[in-house]
Amino acid sequence: MSNWDTTFPPLLHKLHQLEFDYDDGDGYDFEPYQSFFPAEENASWFKAWTGNAAIDGSQFRVFGQDGTGGYAAFWLVLPDQPIEKQPVVFLGSEGEKGVVALSLDEYLWLLADGVGPYEAVAYPSPDSKPNAQFTLFAQENSGIAKLSAAEVLARANEAYPSFSEQIDSLCR
């Protein structure tokens, strides 16, 4: 795992300067990191999560977690695309998993509609609770037109309908 960079892209770093308010369960169950896991930590986590010592999870770059230790990550599945254009996934502490956005741009709109990575997987039809801070951030920084959380999730599920099965196939 040489050439492993723990440095966030500038937009993700800027995003993680915002407050992800838990709001007594009505906000985001998300704790942002300031860098990606180092390669060894990433491999250790993924081996433990899947129970498979033969894999290293190098296709994931973890950038935050929920309160129970589930991880939000970029899934590096698109060859020759920058990390910001890779899908965002959630891999929960209790085995929850799913693609939550097609890119960082779409992830910004998911957050703007009041839905974090955990909520996107735990509640696949989330209520829209627009967040003014994240909406302004998405308006100023996303390179795509506004999407609702339901639209972001539908697009992610349509693009990667077998993500859960692919991950299950790696588990022992």
Side-chain angles (χ1 to χ4, degrees):
M1 279 188 262
S2 61
N3 256 355
W4 187 281
D5 189 358
T6 62
T7 306
F8 277 175
L11 183 55
L12 185 62
H13 176 76
K14 185 176 175 183
L15 172 66
H16 284 191
Q17 303 315 300
L18 301 178
E19 179 183 359
F20 287 80
D21 188 2
Y22 183 65
D23 192 24
D24 293 323
D26 288 329
Y28 305 98
D29 187 357
F30 185 71
E31 300 169 22
Y33 294 164
Q34 297 305 311
S35 63
F36 295 119
F37 278 171
E40 299 77 21
E41 187 175 349
N42 200 82
S44 176
W45 151 71
F46 200 67
K47 287 175 184 191
W49 195 87
T50 61
N52 186 343
I55 56 178
D56 64 8
S58 61
Q59 71 271 39
F60 298 101
R61 295 297 183 276
V62 175
F63 62 82
Q65 72 176 52
D66 74 343
T68 66
Y71 293 123
F74 286 105
W75 179 32
L76 307 182
V77 68
L78 302 172
D80 303 320
Q81 290 295 316
I83 198 162
E84 302 91 344
K85 300 293 182 191
Q86 302 288 340
V88 175
V89 300
F90 180 77
L91 299 161
S93 63
E94 300 299 318
E96 313 93 334
K97 57 198 158 305
V99 180
V100 302
L102 293 180
S103 65
L104 181 55
D105 284 329
E106 291 199 12
Y107 179 63
L108 297 181
W109 288 115
L110 183 77
L111 295 172
D113 213 13
V115 178
Y118 164 76
E119 293 83 15
V121 172
Y123 310 105
S125 297
D127 292 333
S128 177
K129 302 171 279 183
N131 178 294
Q133 171 187 229
F134 285 95
T135 297
L136 180 60
F137 188 89
Q139 289 169 339
E140 293 175 349
N141 294 282
S142 179
I144 62 171
K146 181 180 180 179
L147 296 169
S148 69
E151 291 171 316
V152 170
L153 294 171
R155 290 166 53 95
N157 289 324
E158 182 179 315
Y160 299 102
S162 62
F163 175 76
S164 186
E165 291 79 15
Q166 288 175 346
I167 298 300
D168 286 346
S169 75
L170 300 174
C171 296
R172 301 289 179 249

